[in-house]
Amino acid sequence: MKQRTIIFTGVFFLIAIISAQAIVPEALSGPKIVFETYQYDFGTIKRHADGTCSFVFRNDGNSPLLITKVTAACGCTVPDYPKSPILPGQKAEIKVKYNTKTVGAFSKTINVSTNDPKNSTVVLTIKGNVTR
């Protein structure tokens, strides 16, 4: 009887340990980038007007978030991003400047590369219509 109790207790603790490891959400391990919005619409904008916008994001993870690279689809769009780590819970922004010298509708993408294991590349979009 004593031997069964010891075996039962050992199996119980083994199951408890395995279950506890499975309960820890993977989303909490590492950095996690979350943007307030993934698209910015300038609407109708005048030629040579200021084509600057910002994409605000937050690190919802539990370790520092690194923005490793930000690239735009063409040279008419210039991104500026934080080079230092974004700590858990901290907000930051990526500024994007679109050159409004060309008249017409536009839609451009910006690729954001991070160390977020679940979302290593985020695609942001700007769009609008430049008028004379």
Side-chain angles (χ1 to χ4, degrees):
M1 184 68 161
K2 186 175 183 181
Q3 199 173 25
R4 278 191 202 172
T5 305
I6 292 172
I7 291 172
F8 177 77
T9 304
V11 170
F12 175 78
F13 281 117
L14 182 60
I15 291 171
I17 290 170
I18 292 170
S19 296
Q21 290 176 350
I23 291 172
V24 176
E26 288 183 30
L28 292 179
S29 64
K32 182 179 179 185
I33 191 166
V34 177
F35 280 87
E36 289 181 0
T37 183
Y38 293 84
Q39 181 175 325
Y40 186 87
D41 187 350
F42 284 96
T44 301
I45 187 170
K46 295 252 187 221
R47 186 173 186 219
H48 298 297
D50 181 22
T52 304
C53 66
S54 293
F55 291 93
V56 177
F57 65 92
R58 166 181 80 250
N59 179 3
D60 277 354
N62 64 0
S63 64
L65 172 71
L66 300 173
I67 305 295
T68 54
K69 181 171 62 168
V70 179
T71 56
C74 71
C76 60
T77 308
V78 180
D80 182 30
Y81 62 97
K83 311 303 187 275
S84 58
I86 294 85
L87 300 177
Q90 187 177 15
K91 283 187 173 184
E93 67 181 358
I94 294 174
K95 293 180 183 177
V96 178
K97 180 160 180 64
Y98 177 73
N99 187 340
T100 59
K101 72 178 181 177
T102 304
V103 174
F106 67 92
S107 179
K108 304 295 178 183
T109 58
I110 299 95
N111 293 314
V112 180
S113 300
T114 73
N115 66 333
D116 179 340
K118 298 278 186 186
N119 205 5
S120 62
T121 303
V122 178
V123 179
L124 306 173
T125 305
I126 60 169
K127 66 180 188 172
N129 186 32
V130 179
T131 61
R132 290 190 192 277

